[in-house]
Amino acid sequence: MGAKPSVPDDQLPPDRTFIVTGGNTGIGYETAKTIAQLGGRVIIACRNEEKAKFAIERMIRETQEEHSGEKTEKQPITREVPELNIQYMNLDLSSFNSTIEFVREFKDRGLPLHVLICNAGTLNAQQKCVTKDGFELHFQVNYLSHFLLTLLLLPLLKESAPNSRIVNVSSVAHLFGEVIHDNIQDLKSHRAHKFYLNSKLFQVMNMYCLSRKLTGQGISVLSVHPGFVDTDVFREGTGCVACSFSSMICCWGVDAKEGSRSSLIAALDPKYDGTTAHYFDRGRPSNSSRLSRDEAKQEILWKYSLQCLREQLSDVILQEIGEKLEDIEPLSTS
Ligand SMILES: NC(=O)c1ccc[n+]([C@@H]2O[C@H](COP(=O)([O-])OP(=O)(O)OC[C@H]3O[C@@H](n4cnc5c(N)ncnc54)[C@H](OP(=O)(O)O)[C@@H]3O)[C@@H](O)[C@H]2O)c1
């Protein structure tokens, strides 16, 4: 396997701005903390204000401890640590309104955006669970709302190009996902264990499709499998997928800091400047599943996703990806 690929540790310009969804815990927490320690500006986009504020305090405290070498089990940071520039903004990905409101507020702050890390994820339904917007929960939280967020933020990412990045935190679980043409959310069959797997597949497929639509525009679209990481996602999850992953974590699990390696390499490594459509497995470029690379299937998912988001998108946004509202059919309700 060779040495683990290392996370770049070059100082970041203070204006380089990152959004990390679900940055209050687990892999997202460690990703956000490391970027902030390197000097970047980080917005953690989280659904719970109390948890997010607690996470920021914890990042500041841990950074001071690591710097002073107080926590002996951790590698002391040898150079001067900048004051962490990390802010919280509310985002509940189970709601389109919340996603749209997040973007509005972010734009109101007048900040640039260089890197969007779509990290938040859920695995909590043993049976069908439908959001207020009418979509299967995993489909919306893990995939569709992240796609909406990405589209709404594209103008800002384009302003920061070249070397803007979108990172989808997917999973090796995408290997077990399916695309069923007339039943993409799989709601008709109620196979709850498929919901998470499919959402992770869709994130990888979306990476390929979006990369094509943004060719030559200076935005890299990447996706990652972080490894089997000991976090809350499987601990709190139920059903056979959560159980299988929990057992794998018992055997091969790593901690969240190690689990953030893939996201950090995708977000920061200058080696990937000007490249796009890479899938990283624990920090190394790797082949995603054959199904995820099937262009015809990617286009089916793309078209369906735009239909799902039809009410949320304007022609101005659709122009960014070469689409028009008049060409997107409403979702059939049958
Ligand atoms: N752990 C692994 O072994 C593993 C393996 C492969 C892929 N992944 C992927 O890695 C990503 C991070 O997972 P993790 O392991 O770090 O899990 P985690 O510790 O459970 O973190 C998940 C994050 O997502 C947030 N979230 C969940 N539902 C949300 C919603 N509706 N709106 C906004 N945020 C929401 C959670 O917020 P709250 O704290 O408020 O719940 C939390 O911040 C996920 O996409 C997961 O699928 C993990």
Side-chain angles (χ1 to χ4, degrees):
M1 195 74 180
K4 284 179 193 162
S6 50
V7 172
D9 61 356
D10 296 332
Q11 195 69 25
L12 293 164
D15 200 35
R16 191 153 175 95
T17 305
F18 299 72
I19 292 176
V20 183
T21 68
N24 61 290
T25 188
I27 297 165
Y29 173 90
E30 294 294 343
T31 305
K33 183 176 121 184
T34 302
I35 294 170
Q37 286 181 338
L38 291 171
R41 179 195 284 127
V42 183
I43 312 294
I44 56 168
C46 311
R47 60 180 166 171
N48 182 310
E49 179 170 0
E50 206 182 318
K51 281 191 194 176
K53 292 198 166 154
F54 179 77
I56 293 176
E57 281 167 21
R58 192 180 138 210
M59 287 181 205
I60 294 169
R61 195 180 58 247
E62 285 181 356
T63 302
Q64 284 161 353
E65 287 169 356
E66 287 164 28
H67 186 48
S68 65
E70 263 177 53
K71 283 254 166 110
T72 44
E73 75 272 17
K74 289 195 178 149
Q75 197 79 0
I77 295 170
T78 46
R79 65 165 175 235
E80 203 172 314
V81 180
E83 213 170 285
L84 301 192
N85 185 353
I86 182 145
Q87 301 162 36
Y88 149 76
M89 284 181 61
N90 186 268
L91 171 65
D92 181 351
L93 291 155
S94 69
S95 154
F96 289 151
N97 279 347
S98 170
T99 307
I100 291 165
E101 184 58 18
F102 171 86
V103 174
R104 197 189 57 71
E105 268 188 54
F106 184 79
K107 287 185 172 165
D108 281 354
R109 291 190 184 194
L111 298 174
L113 177 63
H114 300 84
V115 182
L116 170 64
I117 306 180
C118 297
N119 162 84
T122 190
L123 170 55
N124 70 356
Q126 207 170 354
Q127 48 191 315
K128 185 173 77 167
C129 181
V130 175
T131 65
K132 275 194 199 138
D133 296 308
F135 297 97
E136 191 286 314
L137 181 76
H138 299 80
F139 179 76
Q140 181 162 353
V141 171
N142 299 356
Y143 167 66
L144 194 62
S145 289
H146 273 134
F147 184 34
L148 176 61
L149 185 67
T150 303
L151 292 177
L152 297 178
L153 290 169
L154 266 183
L156 288 179
L157 287 161
K158 284 190 184 181
E159 275 174 28
S160 303
N163 302 331
S164 301
R165 297 190 186 188
I166 298 162
V167 179
N168 288 345
V169 182
S170 174
S171 169
V172 71
H174 84 273
L175 287 164
F176 307 100
E178 286 178 311
V179 183
I180 305 167
H181 291 201
D182 59 348
N183 186 17
I184 290 195
Q185 291 180 63
D186 211 11
L187 280 172
K188 290 181 199 156
S189 53
H190 299 260
R191 297 176 307 163
H193 70 283
K194 281 280 177 192
F195 297 148
Y196 178 79
L197 309 176
N198 289 351
S199 70
K200 295 287 131 182
L201 170 66
F202 298 164
Q203 286 184 294
V204 180
M205 296 179 87
N206 182 263
M207 165 193 75
Y208 288 114
C209 227
L210 191 57
S211 294
R212 274 199 300 284
K213 315 280 173 185
L214 297 177
T215 303
Q217 300 195 44
I219 305 179
S220 303
V221 193
L222 308 163
S223 60
V224 308
H225 166 55
F228 298 110
V229 190
D230 191 10
T231 65
D232 292 339
V233 76
F234 300 118
R235 265 198 296 274
E236 290 176 2
T238 51
C240 60
V241 176
C243 286
S244 320
F245 274 86
S246 293
S247 336
M248 289 192 242
I249 285 166
C250 280
C251 302
W252 301 294
V254 295
D255 64 15
K257 178 146 186 73
E258 180 61 29
S260 66
R261 180 186 296 272
S262 232
S263 300
L264 288 167
I265 288 174
L268 301 177
D269 198 328
K271 201 158 72 186
Y272 302 105
D273 284 351
T275 69
T276 192
H278 297 300
Y279 168 74
F280 295 85
D281 183 339
R282 286 157 285 179
R284 287 192 178 78
S286 179
N287 282 334
S288 62
S289 70
R290 187 195 280 205
L291 173 58
S292 71
R293 288 180 278 124
D294 182 325
E295 267 193 45
K297 297 253 166 60
Q298 289 162 14
E299 292 294 336
I300 289 167
L301 175 67
W302 177 263
K303 194 172 155 204
Y304 177 74
S305 307
L306 291 181
Q307 285 182 287
C308 295
L309 296 175
R310 193 172 178 275
E311 303 295 318
Q312 282 68 42
L313 296 173
S314 65
D315 259 325
V316 177
I317 288 294
L318 286 164
Q319 260 174 25
E320 305 278 350
I321 47 167
E323 302 279 353
K324 284 191 197 133
L325 205 50
E326 64 187 34
D327 296 337
I328 300 171
E329 286 169 27
L331 263 190
S332 119
T333 47
S334 64

